């Protein structure tokens, strides 16, 4: 209603500034209530250990916006990213690469994962699944 967001701008701020590659497959919505937020449908996050694989699929991503610079779409501050109904495919063979993944602390946006699955596998062999996973990542 108020804003029109470009997918590439959202991908840049949400992912590329965090050293992650992602793509928005669905639509982007804006909601002012209960607080200002951008809602993204169908987000895919690429595996940073192997760029050809998908690390996570998220049905609904919610980016909570700071009300201070709300009208300045180019310099907005993202307060928090909430990823709902997600599936993470965690390859145990790449665990050292996952551990070496570095996040830019200056641009880090707190992440909250809600109501998802984490699937563990060893290359092609299934190992285990964690159902109804909820995680919070902060710096």
């Amino acid at each position: 209603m108020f804003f029109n967001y470009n997918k590439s701008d959202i991908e840049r701020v949400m992912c590329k500034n965090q050293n992650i590659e992602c793509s928005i497959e669905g639509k982007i919505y804006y909601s002012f209530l209960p607080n200002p937020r951008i809602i993204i449908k169908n987000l895919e996050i690429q595996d940073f250990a192997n760029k050809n694989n998908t690390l996570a699929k998220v049905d609904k991503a919610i980016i909570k916006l700071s009300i201070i610079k709300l009208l300045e779409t180019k310099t907005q501050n993202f307060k928090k990213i909430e990823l709902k109904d997600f599936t993470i495919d965690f390859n145990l063979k790449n665990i050292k690469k996952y551990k070496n993944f570095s996040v830019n602390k200056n641009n880090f946006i707190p992440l909250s994962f809600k109501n998802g699955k984490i699937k563990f596998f060893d290359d092609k062999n299934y190992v285990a699944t964690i159902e109804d996973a909820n995680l919070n990542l902060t710096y």
Side-chain angles (χ1 to χ4, degrees), residues 54-109:
T54 301
L55 176 65
K57 291 184 180 185
V58 180
D59 289 341
K60 185 177 183 182
I62 299 171
I63 303 169
K64 295 183 180 179
L65 304 172
S66 172
I67 200 150
I68 295 169
K69 292 186 176 184
L70 187 60
L71 298 176
E72 300 174 27
T73 58
K74 296 293 182 197
T75 59
Q76 270 183 350
N77 293 336
F78 290 1
K79 287 176 45 179
K80 184 177 182 181
I81 299 174
E82 206 172 274
L83 305 173
K84 292 185 173 186
D85 302 322
F86 65 91
T87 302
I88 296 175
D89 293 324
F90 192 85
N91 190 346
L92 295 172
K93 288 223 179 214
N94 296 329
I95 198 159
K96 287 183 181 178
K97 292 178 183 176
Y98 294 145
K99 283 174 61 175
N100 292 333
F101 174 73
S102 65
V103 175
N104 185 348
K105 293 179 185 178
N106 296 330
N107 293 331
F108 185 77
I109 302 167

Side-chain angles (χ1 to χ4, degrees), residues 7 10-11 14 23-30 38-44 57-63 82-85:
K7 285 184 182 183
I10 300 292
E11 288 172 356
M14 192 170 139
S23 62
I24 298 171
E25 303 297 323
K27 294 188 177 192
I28 299 174
Y29 303 94
Y30 176 80
I38 299 169
I39 301 168
I40 301 168
K41 299 287 184 172
N42 298 325
L43 174 71
E44 286 191 8
K57 291 184 180 185
V58 180
D59 289 341
K60 185 177 183 182
I62 299 171
I63 303 169
E82 206 172 274
L83 305 173
K84 292 185 173 186
D85 302 322

